[in-house]
């Protein structure tokens, strides 16, 4: 059974700091991994989708890496801003190429001005 | 603009009443999903549909029902049998890249249901 863990559950940093959020999963036979952002009371916004054949994806100040063999992904946020404050979630397929996704519980990020 | 529209945004229900949450997408996606989010629990899958007129139970389907009569629409009914229905409900659809589940999931803004 696929399980997804995100550590830490919460993180508080000063503005301008570079930071890394972690996501680990138990079944490494996945086709992709997706990172999301969720603001309070809102839906999830897709940030990055990494295919199993890729090792990383970049979008602006965000960089996500994927290491299937170790069952880990990281989301790197450069030069953090108060507007980056949100909960960040990762999700992987239940197994292999399953259409069902399993989500981590998220990391709540607070960037202090 | 393409996207997923959920309505209503907030809903209050008395115990014993059924309520239907609407989810409409104009992204031309085949697969659609309903998730429930509770504080500290993460997202849990209620139902999903890969194609019109077909749907499958997720991990917590008891007390819920769905239909998929049109590609664009995937309404969720929270029945009186659902013992703890107060939650934030999220609808999503999958943009498939053609191969098995290498697609990207997109979400609506959510519906918050409160049972009084």
């Amino acid at each position: 059974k696929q399980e997804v863990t995100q550590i830490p559950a919460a993180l508080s940093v000063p503005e301008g700091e570079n930071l890394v959020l972690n996501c680990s999963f138990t079944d490494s036979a996945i086709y992709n991994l997706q990172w999301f952002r969720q603001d309070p009371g809102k839906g999830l916004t897709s940030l990055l989708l990494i295919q199993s054949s890729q090792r990383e994806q970049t979008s602006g100040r965000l960089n996500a890496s994927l290491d299937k063999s170790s069952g880990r992904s990281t989301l790197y946020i450069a030069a953090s801003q108060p507007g980056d404050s949100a909960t960040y979630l990762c999700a992987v397929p239940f197994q292999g190429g399953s259409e069902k996704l399993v989500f981590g519980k998220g990391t709540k990020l607070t960037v202090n001005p | 603009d393409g996207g997923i529209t959920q309505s209503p945004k907030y809903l209050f229900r008395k115990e014993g009443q059924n309520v239907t949450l609407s989810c409409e997408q104009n992204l031309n996606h085949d697969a659609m999903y309903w998730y429930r989010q509770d504080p500290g629990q993460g997202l849990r899958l209620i139902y999903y549909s890969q194609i019109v007129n077909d749907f499958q139970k997720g991990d917590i389907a008891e007390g819920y029902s769905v239909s998929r009569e049109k590609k664009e629409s995937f309404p969720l009914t929270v029945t009186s049998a659902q013992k703890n229905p107060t939650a934030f409900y999220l609808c999503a659809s999958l943009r498939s890249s053609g191969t098995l589940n290498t697609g990207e999931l997109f979400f609506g803004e959510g519906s918050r249901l409160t049972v009084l």
Side-chain angles (χ1 to χ4, degrees):
Chain A
K1 178 185 174 184
Q2 181 72 274
E3 294 181 0
V4 180
T5 304
Q6 292 187 247
I7 295 173
L11 182 64
S12 182
V13 301
E15 182 177 3
E17 192 164 298
N18 301 327
L19 59 101
V20 173
L21 306 180
N22 298 295
C23 171
S24 61
F25 45 93
T26 53
D27 184 351
S28 62
I30 59 170
Y31 279 36
N32 58 35
L33 181 145
Q34 195 168 354
W35 280 95
F36 297 87
R37 168 188 172 132
Q38 185 176 30
D39 294 292
K42 302 288 188 180
L44 279 68
T45 299
S46 178
L47 295 174
L48 290 164
L49 173 72
I50 311 176
Q51 306 293 356
S52 59
S53 58
Q54 301 172 317
R55 293 192 65 86
E56 63 179 55
Q57 277 277 33
T58 298
S59 176
R61 294 182 294 107
L62 305 180
N63 177 276
S65 67
L66 175 62
D67 184 347
K68 281 182 55 179
S69 61
S70 66
R72 294 184 180 186
S73 175
T74 60
L75 179 66
Y76 174 83
I77 302 177
S80 58
Q81 304 171 357
D84 294 330
S85 297
T87 297
Y88 292 81
L89 299 96
C90 64
V92 296
F94 176 69
Q95 58 182 162
S98 169
E99 64 283 345
K100 290 171 56 177
L101 295 187
V102 179
F103 285 79
K105 293 184 179 180
T107 294
K108 183 177 182 180
L109 173 66
T110 303
V111 181
N112 301 300
Chain B
D1 287 334
I4 301 173
T5 301
Q6 289 187 240
S7 62
K9 195 173 180 67
Y10 299 96
L11 186 61
F12 297 89
R13 186 194 96 175
K14 293 182 181 179
E15 280 193 25
Q17 290 181 336
N18 293 353
V19 62
T20 297
L21 307 181
S22 170
C23 178
E24 302 279 332
Q25 55 103 354
N26 59 3
L27 301 169
N28 200 34
H29 293 168
D30 286 316
M32 296 186 72
Y33 305 76
W34 275 105
Y35 288 90
R36 170 180 171 144
Q37 188 176 37
D38 297 281
Q41 291 246 31
L43 273 72
R44 292 182 289 170
L45 182 63
I46 305 173
Y47 268 99
Y48 64 103
S49 167
Q50 294 175 270
I51 199 166
V52 174
N53 293 323
D54 185 52
F55 48 83
Q56 287 80 40
K57 293 182 179 181
D59 301 317
I60 55 165
E62 185 176 351
Y64 299 98
S65 67
V66 293
S67 63
R68 187 82 187 278
E69 297 177 1
K70 299 187 300 182
K71 188 176 186 177
E72 302 79 18
S73 179
F74 191 40
L76 173 74
T77 296
V78 184
T79 75
S80 57
Q82 169 50 233
K83 298 190 187 311
N84 186 19
T86 294
F88 190 51
Y89 291 88
L90 289 159
C91 178
S93 67
L94 185 74
R95 181 176 69 188
S96 173
S97 64
T99 52
L100 189 62
N101 193 37
T102 55
E104 188 172 2
L105 200 64
F106 294 89
F107 282 84
E109 284 294 294
S111 293
R112 184 166 298 280
L113 172 63
T114 302
V115 174
L116 304 173

